[in-house]
């Protein structure tokens, strides 16, 4: 019993004594009914020490509980009334001759009031692990200055050891009972499990030949499932050998069983018994000596299904790897607002790498292998992953060599995985062809409009200035012929136009002679279609005039055409020499206006004619996109 002012209070000791409390708990003794053995020890202790009270006191965290008591009514007391707690820290007998005089106990309520106890002697109950569980104590209301006699002290200590022996015996007996019950329950459960197993089970002993080699085995135990799975009657199988029951069984089975028995190692197998045409998956374990156990299931359907699946997968893989369609599966990545910000390439076929140029990209994020990919790719695939709605579209990826792709995207697998399967083809050539066709159509339309406008102007101006219908018809025909020749050049040339030298050669061809009276020189310059038409008409007018009135009217006249180009600045000169004397006309006709006004505008420049007496000269200054 503890005095409240004691700095080593019972509650403090209990808080620091978890191991002792755990030891006490392991005996499962507290709050159990009285037992004769403990009661007899208490009676002997009181008789030996000549006291009116005897207790087997066990100290818990918040109380002291009495397994046996004599002369004391309560079966437990709070720790602040405990004197026995003072014995926990000492392996020796605790004797207090007068509780009213001892500083530790004089304020205890059991001392100061009923039952007015005065004498205390307690022997510690020390468990085999050294933990003190409580005491065997004797108490009396009369002080005993002389304490206990040596004979009494020795006897009380011996009785305390008997209490501990009883506790140990009680625990061992309880453990054995628990073990026996658990074993019986386990055996019952095992037997029930053995009979109710869906898996086949067998216990067998190997048979050896004269050389000690395992060549057979004999069944000692089999369950109903074993019979169902191998197709043999259980009641006729126990005691017989496997070679009797399954003639022709493969030798590999004996090799596997021999390995288990000889090495003591457990194996897992998936094998066929050919004579039964059945596949089995199971575990074989050693069972001591030459015995072994096997637990197994028939997996024939699964094996055949797996083979069919593998065949289908091989066909699919072959198809996927050989089609010229890019196929890949990507894992989408989203930010906190569920906005798609990246995706990782999970799988991809050969065509995927060929079409995208992303070699060795499987397992990598697009932000790593194709930085700068347009946001719309993430938006489209992210929507497919979140909604499950497939997408079919065409888009351009600038970072992937500016390629165009026709794409189908579908969500696959668990929606939580955010996986999207993408099938695509490279349609860059088709898109470029479409763009070419559109541009060509626009160019043809533009050229046709320009040509019609030119024809209209030629016809109108030529007829207006002709003095006779015949003269007008001939002028129109000649000019339209020149226009037609230039159209032939433009038809054969790229959409961007034609080279100036080719245009001049075609325009002057009707008038060129073997003696080289017409000279052409200058750097290579490409003209737009409109500039080709303009300069070809100008040269036509100039050459026609030279035949009628200028350098080509005699046998000595010459024409020199030359041009220069510096950057985009362009200058073209037509000059005649050694022809008849040139006189300026009284009025300028359509041809002159064509060269000076219309042709110059085609070059964003000017055209000018000089009627020098020694020979006509035409100069065109403007800009070309060379």
């Amino acid at each position: 019993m503890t005095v409240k002012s004691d700095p080593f209070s019972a509650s403090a000791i209990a808080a620091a004594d978890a191991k002792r409390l755990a030891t006490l708990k392991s005996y499962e003794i507290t709050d159990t009914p009285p037992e004769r053995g403990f009661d007899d020890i208490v009676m002997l202790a009181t008789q030996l020490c000549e006291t009116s009270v005897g207790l087997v006191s066990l100290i818990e965290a918040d109380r002291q509980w009495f397994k046996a008591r004599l002369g004391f009514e309560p079966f437990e007391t709070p720790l602040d009334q405990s004197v026995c707690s003072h014995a926990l820290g000492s392996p020796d007998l605790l004797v207090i001759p007068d509780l009213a005089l001892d500083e530790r106990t004089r304020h205890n309520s059991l001392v100061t009031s009923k039952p007015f106890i005065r004498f205390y002697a307690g022997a510690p109950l020390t468990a085999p692990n050294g933990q003190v569980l409580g005491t065997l104590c004797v108490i009396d209301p009369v002080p005993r200055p002389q304490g206990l006699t040596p004979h009494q002290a020795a006897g009380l200590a011996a009785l305390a050891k008997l209490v501990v022996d009883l506790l140990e015996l009680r625990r061992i007996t309880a453990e054995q009972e628990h073990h026996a019950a658990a074993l019986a329950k386990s055996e019952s459960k095992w037997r029930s499990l053995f009979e109710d197993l869906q898996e086949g089970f067998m216990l067998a002993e190997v048979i050896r030949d004269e050389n000690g080699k395992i060549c057979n085995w004999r069944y000692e135990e089999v369950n109903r499932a074993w019979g169902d799975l191998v197709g043999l009657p259980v009641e006729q199988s126990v005691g017989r050998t496997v070679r009797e029951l399954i003639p022709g069984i493969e030798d590999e089975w004996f090799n596997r069983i021999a390995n288990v028995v000889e090495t003591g190692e457990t194996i897992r197998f998936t094998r066929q018994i050919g004579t039964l045409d059945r596949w089995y998956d199971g575990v074989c374990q050693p069972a001591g000596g030459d015995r072994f156990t096997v637990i197994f299931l028939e997996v024939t359907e699964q094996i055949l299904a797996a083979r069919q699946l593998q065949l289908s997968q091989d066909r699919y893989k072959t198809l996927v790897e050989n089609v010229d369609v890019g196929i890949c599966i990507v894992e989408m990545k989203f930010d906190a607002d569920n906005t798609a910000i990246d995706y990782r390439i999970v799988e991809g076929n050969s065509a995927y790498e060929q079409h995208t140029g992303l070699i060795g990209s499987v397992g990598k994020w697009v932000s790593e292998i194709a930085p700068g990919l347009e946001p719309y790719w993430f938006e489209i695939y992210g929507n497919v992953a979140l909604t499950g709605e497939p997408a079919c579209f065409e888009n351009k990826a600038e970072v992937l060599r500016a390629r165009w792709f026709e794409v189908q995207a579908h969500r696959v697998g668990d929606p939580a995985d955010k996986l999207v399967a993408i099938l695509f083809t490279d349609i860059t050539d088709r898109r470029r062809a479409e763009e070419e066709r559109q541009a060509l159509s626009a160019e043809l339309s533009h050229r046709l409009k320009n040509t019609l406008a030119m024809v209209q102007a030629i016809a109108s101006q030529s007829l207006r200035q002709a003095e006779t219908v015949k003269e007008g018809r001939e002028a129109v025909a000649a000019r339209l012929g020149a226009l037609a020749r230039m159209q032939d050049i433009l038809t054969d040339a790229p959409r961007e136009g034609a080279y100036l030298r080719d245009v001049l050669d075609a325009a002057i061809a009707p008038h060129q002679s073997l003696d080289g009276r017409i000279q052409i020189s200058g750097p290579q310059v490409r003209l737009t279609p409109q500039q080709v038409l303009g300069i070809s008409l100008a040269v036509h007018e100039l050459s026609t005039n030279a035949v009628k009135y200028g350098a080509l009217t005699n046998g000595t006249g010459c024409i020199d055409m030359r041009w220069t180009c510096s950057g985009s600045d362009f200058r073209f000169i037509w000059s005649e020499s050694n022809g008849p004397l040139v006189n300026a006309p009284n009025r300028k006709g359509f041809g002159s206006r064509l060269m000076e006004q219309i042709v110059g505008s085609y070059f964003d420049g000017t055209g000018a004619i000089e009627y020098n007496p020694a020979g006509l000269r035409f100069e065109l200054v403007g800009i070309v996109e060379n």
Side-chain angles (χ1 to χ4, degrees):
M1 289 170 278
T2 306
V3 180
K4 292 182 180 180
S5 61
D6 187 359
F8 301 100
S9 65
S11 60
I13 294 173
D17 201 15
K19 186 174 181 179
R20 186 190 67 79
L21 293 174
T23 302
L24 176 60
K25 185 177 180 181
S26 70
Y27 284 97
E28 298 181 356
I29 187 68
T30 55
D31 296 319
T32 58
E35 297 178 37
R36 181 173 177 179
F38 295 101
D39 291 341
D40 289 347
I41 290 175
V42 167
M43 181 184 67
L44 288 174
T46 56
Q47 291 177 356
L48 174 66
C49 298
E50 299 177 354
T51 60
S52 58
V53 177
L55 302 170
V56 173
S57 175
L58 300 174
I59 309 300
E60 293 191 286
D62 55 355
R63 64 172 180 164
Q64 65 175 357
W65 178 80
F66 308 122
K67 173 59 181 174
R69 64 190 189 280
L70 180 64
F72 194 79
E73 187 63 27
F75 61 87
E76 65 178 20
T77 66
L79 285 182
D80 60 3
Q81 292 183 339
S82 174
V83 177
C84 296
S85 60
H86 294 292
L88 296 181
S90 173
D92 300 323
L93 192 69
L94 174 65
V95 178
I96 302 178
D98 191 342
L99 296 170
L101 300 179
D102 194 288
E103 185 63 28
R104 294 169 293 181
T105 59
R106 63 190 183 88
H107 297 296
N108 192 305
S109 60
L110 295 179
V111 177
T112 60
S113 59
K114 286 185 178 181
F116 298 105
I117 61 176
R118 298 292 295 275
F119 171 73
Y120 174 87
L125 303 176
T126 305
N129 65 355
Q131 298 297 319
V132 179
L133 309 179
T135 65
L136 170 64
C137 65
V138 291
I139 301 172
D140 202 75
V142 178
R144 191 177 296 185
Q146 74 282 5
L148 295 179
T149 67
H151 173 73
Q152 292 173 331
L156 186 62
L159 290 173
K161 292 179 180 178
L162 283 178
V163 172
V164 174
D165 290 343
L166 277 179
L167 289 174
E168 281 293 309
L169 178 62
R170 188 179 185 281
R171 179 168 65 176
I172 292 172
T173 302
E175 288 176 352
Q176 290 176 342
E177 290 175 352
H178 290 330
H179 179 71
L183 182 60
K185 183 177 180 181
S186 175
E187 289 179 352
S188 174
K189 180 179 179 181
W190 184 89
R191 178 56 60 180
S192 175
L193 178 64
F194 178 76
E195 293 299 331
D196 296 338
L197 273 176
Q198 298 299 312
E199 297 85 357
F201 178 86
M202 56 174 272
L203 171 65
E205 183 176 10
V206 300
I207 299 173
R208 301 175 183 269
D209 62 16
E210 61 275 9
N211 297 318
K213 181 180 179 181
I214 294 174
C215 60
N216 205 344
W217 68 73
R218 190 181 308 280
Y219 294 101
E220 295 184 356
E221 288 275 2
V222 294
N223 66 349
R224 286 191 298 271
W226 177 91
D228 295 338
L229 294 175
V230 299
L232 295 172
V234 171
E235 57 277 2
Q236 297 178 20
S237 300
V238 174
R240 301 179 67 185
T241 69
V242 66
R243 291 195 183 276
E244 293 179 276
L245 296 174
I246 311 176
I249 186 172
E250 294 83 357
D251 288 340
E252 180 60 24
W253 283 99
F254 297 100
N255 296 335
R256 289 294 190 92
I257 297 302
N259 184 64
V260 172
V261 172
E262 301 290 2
T263 67
E265 296 180 357
T266 299
I267 64 167
R268 177 72 182 262
F269 63 87
T270 302
R271 289 194 57 80
Q272 184 186 37
I273 297 181
T275 56
L276 300 180
D277 196 22
R278 296 185 181 187
W279 282 84
Y280 299 100
D281 179 80
V283 175
C284 180
Q285 300 180 359
D290 279 352
R291 303 167 80 207
F292 65 94
T293 64
V294 177
I295 186 168
F296 64 96
L297 280 172
E298 183 181 358
V299 292
T300 305
E301 291 185 2
Q302 294 91 319
I303 291 293
L304 296 178
R307 288 180 173 178
Q308 188 61 38
L309 177 61
Q310 185 62 49
L311 180 62
S312 176
Q313 289 176 340
D314 290 344
R315 290 171 178 168
Y316 169 77
K317 184 176 181 180
T318 300
L319 175 64
V320 168
E321 288 300 324
N322 288 279
V323 295
D324 191 28
V325 176
I327 301 174
C328 65
I329 295 177
V330 303
E331 175 192 355
M332 298 305 301
K333 182 179 182 181
F334 298 86
D335 63 13
D337 298 325
N338 251 6
T339 299
I341 57 174
D342 205 351
Y343 59 85
R344 183 172 64 88
I345 311 300
V346 178
E347 295 181 37
N349 67 348
S350 299
Y352 152 78
E353 293 188 339
Q354 293 170 3
H355 290 325
T356 64
L358 300 176
I359 308 300
S361 60
V362 172
K364 298 179 181 178
W365 293 94
V366 165
S367 58
E368 173 188 354
I369 58 178
L373 186 66
E374 293 82 358
Y376 50 71
W377 295 99
F378 304 106
E379 294 170 4
I380 295 173
Y381 295 153
N383 184 68
V384 172
L386 292 176
T387 67
E389 297 178 2
C392 298
F393 61 95
E394 294 180 4
N395 258 340
K396 185 179 183 182
E398 288 290 346
V399 298
L400 300 181
R401 302 173 296 173
R403 311 298 291 176
W404 276 90
F405 299 100
E406 182 179 21
V407 184
Q408 294 184 41
H410 305 266
R411 186 172 70 188
V412 293
D414 190 332
D417 294 334
K418 298 180 176 60
L419 297 177
V420 178
I422 303 170
L423 291 80
F424 63 93
T425 53
D426 186 339
I427 58 169
T428 305
D429 292 341
R430 191 193 80 191
R431 289 293 297 230
R432 287 176 178 171
E434 290 175 356
E435 291 172 357
E436 289 279 346
R437 284 194 294 271
Q438 292 173 358
L440 180 59
S441 296
E443 179 66 20
L444 289 175
S445 175
H446 178 69
R447 289 187 184 184
L448 182 59
K449 290 178 181 178
N450 286 344
T451 301
L452 290 176
M454 183 66 71
V455 168
Q456 183 181 22
I458 289 172
S460 174
Q461 295 297 327
S462 297
L463 292 175
R464 183 180 297 121
Q465 294 186 358
E467 295 181 357
T468 66
V469 173
K470 181 181 178 181
E471 181 184 347
R473 186 167 58 246
E474 290 174 351
V476 170
R479 287 167 174 161
L480 290 181
L483 191 61
R485 287 192 295 275
M486 291 308 102
Q487 286 297 339
D488 290 340
I489 293 176
L490 288 175
T491 300
D492 295 335
R495 205 172 54 239
E496 294 80 5
Y499 289 110
L500 176 57
R501 179 61 185 252
D502 297 337
V503 174
L504 297 178
D505 285 342
I508 206 67
H511 312 291
Q512 187 61 279
S513 60
L514 296 176
D515 56 4
R517 297 172 64 188
I518 302 175
Q519 297 294 316
I520 302 174
S521 63
Q524 184 155 288
V525 176
R526 183 186 289 277
L527 304 181
T528 66
Q530 193 173 36
Q531 291 171 338
V532 168
L533 291 176
I535 201 165
S536 64
L537 287 174
V539 171
H540 168 73
E541 293 296 328
L542 290 167
S543 59
T544 300
N545 182 75
V547 169
K548 287 183 177 182
Y549 312 110
L552 299 182
T553 60
N554 60 25
T556 59
C558 296
I559 298 174
D560 182 43
M561 284 185 286
R562 65 181 62 246
W563 64 92
T564 60
C565 185
S566 178
S568 60
D569 295 334
F570 174 72
R571 185 183 184 201
F572 172 82
I573 297 175
W574 168 290
S575 62
E576 299 180 19
S577 61
N578 298 330
L581 184 67
V582 176
N583 296 310
N586 295 325
R587 65 181 181 87
K588 291 185 178 182
F590 170 68
S592 299
R593 290 199 301 275
L594 174 70
M595 290 186 290
E596 291 184 323
Q597 298 175 15
I598 299 175
V599 175
S601 67
Y602 287 171
F603 286 83
D604 294 328
T606 60
I609 301 174
E610 296 180 9
Y611 297 95
N612 296 327
L616 185 139
R617 187 177 187 274
F618 170 72
E619 182 177 356
L620 172 65
V621 178
I623 296 173
V624 294
E625 298 177 358
N626 192 25

